[in-house]
Amino acid sequence: MNPVPKPLFLALALAAASAHTIPCPAPREVPEGEGIETPYPVCGALGVFDQHGKKGFFDPHSGAVVVPAQFDAVYNDYVDDTLTPVKKGEKWGYVDTQGKAHTAWEFDQVSLFLYDDALAIVGKDGRYGMIDRHGKTVVPLEYTRMDGFMRPENGYNYLTVACKAGKCGYLDEKGKTVIALDYDDAGGFGAAIAPVKKGDRWGYINLKGEIVQPFVYEEAEAFSHNWAGSRDRNCVEAVKDGKQVAIDPQGNTFPENTRCELLPPLPPPEV
């Protein structure tokens, strides 16, 4: 049993999943030229094309090249209407729709902006922080871990686990600390509860930071999301005195020997 989600950079995968819940259209027109390929649907403001191992941006309505192929990667092959994470060599930076860089080419990890006022998580040399849509650092790169934003099902803001100086808590998508960094480890809010650790025992808290399951578990799973961005199981499992205990999304325990079941992805909204 994995007690918490692996400390991978999850923000991008989650943003990608939510962005692709509704299928993205193919471009109306594509650019022409030697070696140009346009294998990607257009989910953002512009399309992405490949040419001789590099990537650029094009207008999906006219097919005109907007930014010549010069990037080694465009994150998720998605072009935002403000800033987009792109890669040159081994480092990432953020450019606008004209290809102008608004940050240095210095990041090892990047993420998409979830919406207009949200920040993006960035990582450099094992430290994490957040930038805004102007490329300005809003949350200093002083955290040793940020798992990526998840949105609980009850409509609260997006939250990420954030750790520094050996303690973990939660920040929202605007960089505000919503639950203090008081824990020795933590898992994501894939539902209305999340596992947190004090000493050698795990418990569960709700979105107000209130304890809903005491710190009595040797292991404790976090709820996770599927490709559509919805909760993927009806419960999670924790281990107490060597025995498995099933816990629901509100923090209640199920009867003994309950097995957690996978849930189907929620269908995309009608358009």
Side-chain angles (χ1 to χ4, degrees):
M1 179 185 300
N2 186 12
V4 297
K6 294 179 181 179
L8 300 176
F9 220 68
L10 303 182
L12 303 182
L14 295 173
S18 61
H20 289 82
T21 300
I22 301 174
C24 300
R28 295 180 183 176
E29 300 289 341
V30 298
E32 297 181 355
E34 181 184 357
I36 288 181
E37 298 179 351
T38 54
Y40 316 106
V42 179
C43 298
L46 297 171
V48 176
F49 70 93
D50 296 337
Q51 187 176 30
H52 304 308
K54 300 290 184 180
K55 294 177 182 283
F57 304 161
F58 73 95
D59 185 329
H61 301 288
S62 67
V65 171
V66 178
V67 179
Q70 59 187 277
F71 308 122
D72 293 300
V74 176
Y75 190 80
N76 202 38
D77 296 307
Y78 176 89
V79 181
D80 201 294
D81 58 0
T82 53
L83 295 186
T84 296
V86 295
K87 191 175 187 181
K88 281 190 173 182
E90 297 299 318
K91 297 294 182 179
W92 293 84
Y94 284 76
V95 302
D96 60 26
T97 54
Q98 299 301 309
K100 178 182 177 181
H102 288 255
T103 67
W105 301 94
E106 61 180 351
F107 300 119
D108 302 310
Q109 291 88 19
V110 289
S111 66
L112 301 172
F113 295 97
L114 296 172
Y115 60 86
D116 286 349
D117 295 334
L119 304 178
I121 298 174
V122 293
K124 176 184 176 183
D125 300 329
R127 300 287 173 172
Y128 301 92
M130 300 183 194
I131 65 170
D132 65 17
R133 285 182 178 265
H134 302 288
K136 177 183 177 182
T137 299
V138 178
V139 177
L141 277 72
E142 60 187 19
Y143 292 84
T144 55
R145 173 182 161 198
M146 284 189 181
D147 283 355
F149 293 118
M150 298 183 75
R151 190 175 192 180
E153 297 169 308
N154 58 4
Y156 276 72
N157 292 348
Y158 293 87
L159 299 175
T160 177
V161 175
C163 306
K164 66 178 178 180
K167 294 294 182 178
C168 299
Y170 299 85
L171 273 61
D172 68 14
E173 76 276 26
K174 296 186 179 181
K176 177 184 176 182
T177 300
V178 294
I179 297 177
L181 279 65
D182 290 337
Y183 303 102
D184 296 310
D185 204 346
F189 271 103
I193 63 169
V196 290
K197 188 178 186 181
K198 281 193 173 183
D200 63 353
R201 288 292 184 267
W202 290 85
Y204 285 85
I205 60 172
N206 63 20
L207 289 154
K208 296 180 180 180
E210 300 167 337
I211 298 171
V212 296
Q213 282 289 330
F215 293 90
V216 295
Y217 298 101
E218 296 99 70
E219 299 179 33
E221 289 185 322
F223 282 98
S224 55
H225 289 175
N226 52 39
W227 64 268
S230 58
R231 179 166 50 85
D232 63 0
R233 288 181 293 171
N234 67 325
C235 62
V236 288
E237 294 178 352
V239 176
K240 178 183 178 182
D241 299 328
K243 297 181 179 180
Q244 290 191 348
V245 178
I247 298 173
D248 75 10
Q250 287 72 46
N252 304 305
T253 54
F254 279 99
E256 188 175 354
N257 298 321
T258 297
R259 297 182 65 86
C260 297
E261 298 178 353
L262 292 175
L263 299 174
L266 293 177
E270 296 183 2
V271 293

